[in-house]
Amino acid sequence: MALADKIRAQHIDNIMQTLAAKPHRKRIVNLNDIGSIGLIVQRLNATPDIANESDKDRITISQFNTMLKKRGILLRIIEHPASQEMTDKFGLPRPDYLLSFTKYHYDMLIDATTDDGLFGPYVTLSTSSSLRVGYINNVTGDKPYSQIYDLLIIGKEPLDLATYLPNILHYITQIRK
């Protein structure tokens, strides 16, 4: 590993440790007591080879949003930046890109990113929330910074939003007061 890469990795690790050290009060509540949900997703702008998967995810998110609206729950979504212009020299999202999402407090924050990158964990730590939910594919390996999540869903297959989002809601409805 080149010296520049080591410095970059150390800088990113320092940023993540600083964010992780911020106070976080975990609070798990029943779905009926949730007023807002933040959702962190991969880019939904499809490239030709994954167009069908991207369309399926868009439909799933739209249906999820409709169901939440019926329950009076606000959903805000942030997508992985589409261009390098929205990231800094370390590959982290620029603060001005994140601000419209991170300026709110969420009762539940769902990281639905599927890569091993830092976008999902970085946004999770940068956002105020009571419950942090993440997904890990137990077959392909560990998600970076998986210890930051209050509820970690462990699966045996790649993340599928059509299964993942309803399962989270199912788990949250099982919580008793």
Side-chain angles (χ1 to χ4, degrees):
M1 180 181 267
L3 180 60
D5 292 336
K6 286 182 182 180
I7 292 171
R8 179 182 180 271
Q10 184 178 14
H11 178 74
I12 289 172
D13 196 46
N14 288 342
I15 288 172
M16 295 299 282
Q17 286 179 10
T18 301
L19 288 172
K22 289 187 335 185
H24 169 65
R25 201 176 122 216
K26 300 174 192 174
R27 187 169 159 250
I28 300 175
V29 296
N30 187 281
L31 183 62
N32 295 329
D33 298 323
I34 291 178
S36 62
I37 295 177
L39 180 62
I40 307 164
V41 296
Q42 291 297 117
R43 242 174 272 138
L44 295 176
N45 298 334
T47 54
D49 56 330
I50 59 169
N52 290 338
E53 192 66 31
S54 184
D55 288 343
K56 178 183 169 195
D57 288 348
R58 264 200 279 308
I59 291 168
T60 298
I61 291 171
S62 175
Q63 291 171 342
F64 183 68
N65 189 28
T66 300
M67 190 277 303
L68 292 177
K69 279 183 182 176
K70 288 179 183 177
R71 295 181 80 87
I73 300 172
L74 176 66
L75 176 69
R76 286 193 178 87
I77 302 168
I78 187 167
E79 290 184 42
H80 192 284
S83 72
Q84 297 287 356
E85 295 171 1
M86 295 180 192
T87 59
D88 65 13
K89 64 183 177 183
F90 298 104
L92 297 172
R94 296 172 58 104
D96 55 332
Y97 177 73
L98 293 178
L99 186 61
S100 63
F101 185 79
T102 59
K103 67 182 177 182
Y104 299 99
H105 173 82
Y106 300 97
D107 295 320
M108 182 167 50
L109 185 67
I110 302 171
D111 179 359
T113 56
T114 57
D115 63 0
D116 294 334
L118 291 172
F119 179 72
Y122 181 77
V123 174
T124 298
L125 289 173
S126 299
T127 305
S128 172
S129 62
S130 298
L131 176 64
R132 299 171 179 165
V133 182
Y135 180 85
I136 182 172
N137 182 342
N138 207 23
V139 175
T140 60
D142 203 16
K143 185 176 185 108
Y145 303 100
S146 60
Q147 70 278 5
I148 67 170
Y149 300 101
D150 305 319
L151 175 61
L152 190 61
I153 309 295
I154 301 172
K156 294 180 181 171
E157 298 176 6
L159 187 142
D160 175 34
L161 282 178
T163 304
Y164 179 56
L165 295 176
N167 282 345
I168 292 171
L169 295 183
H170 174 75
Y171 299 142
I172 299 300
T173 59
Q174 301 305 309
I175 296 170
R176 305 281 184 238
K177 291 184 180 186

